């Protein structure tokens, strides 16, 4: 979930020919198209980044040198 803030209470922007607006200077979205447009707007500041999906850590094999 991405959260954006603006100094304008009802900043409007278009995504795919659809008008979207900030509510009280805040806009929250999960939509990738909305995020792409908001990242390009100078008056919109991302205050909460979307969290990437957690990927399991790659397993590494521990190799030990054998003493001779």
């Amino acid at each position: 979930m991405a959260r954006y803030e603006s100094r304008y209470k009802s900043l409007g922007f278009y995504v795919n020919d659809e008008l979207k607006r900030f509510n009280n200077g805040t806009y929250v979205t999960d939509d990738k198209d909305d995020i792409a447009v908001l990242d390009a707007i100078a008056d919109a500041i991302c205050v909460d980044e979307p969290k990437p999906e957690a990927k399991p850590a790659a397993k590494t094999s521990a190799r030990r040198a054998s003493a001779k």
Side-chain angles (χ1 to χ4, degrees), residues 7-41:
R7 63 181 173 180
Y8 304 108
K9 296 292 181 185
S10 62
L11 178 68
F13 60 98
Y14 284 93
V15 178
N16 298 327
D17 296 328
E18 182 181 347
L19 178 62
K20 308 233 177 174
R21 291 192 180 273
F22 279 67
N23 186 15
N24 282 335
T26 304
Y27 190 83
V28 179
T29 185
D30 284 328
D31 188 19
K32 292 179 183 178
D33 292 336
D34 288 358
I35 293 171
V37 171
L38 287 166
D39 285 340
I41 296 175

Side-chain angles (χ1 to χ4, degrees), residues 2-3 6 9 16 18 31 35 37 43 46 48 56-58 60 62-63 68:
R3 183 172 176 252
S6 172
K9 296 292 181 185
N16 298 327
E18 182 181 347
D31 188 19
I35 293 171
V37 171
D43 292 325
C46 185
D48 188 18
T60 58
R63 294 183 182 176
K68 291 184 179 181

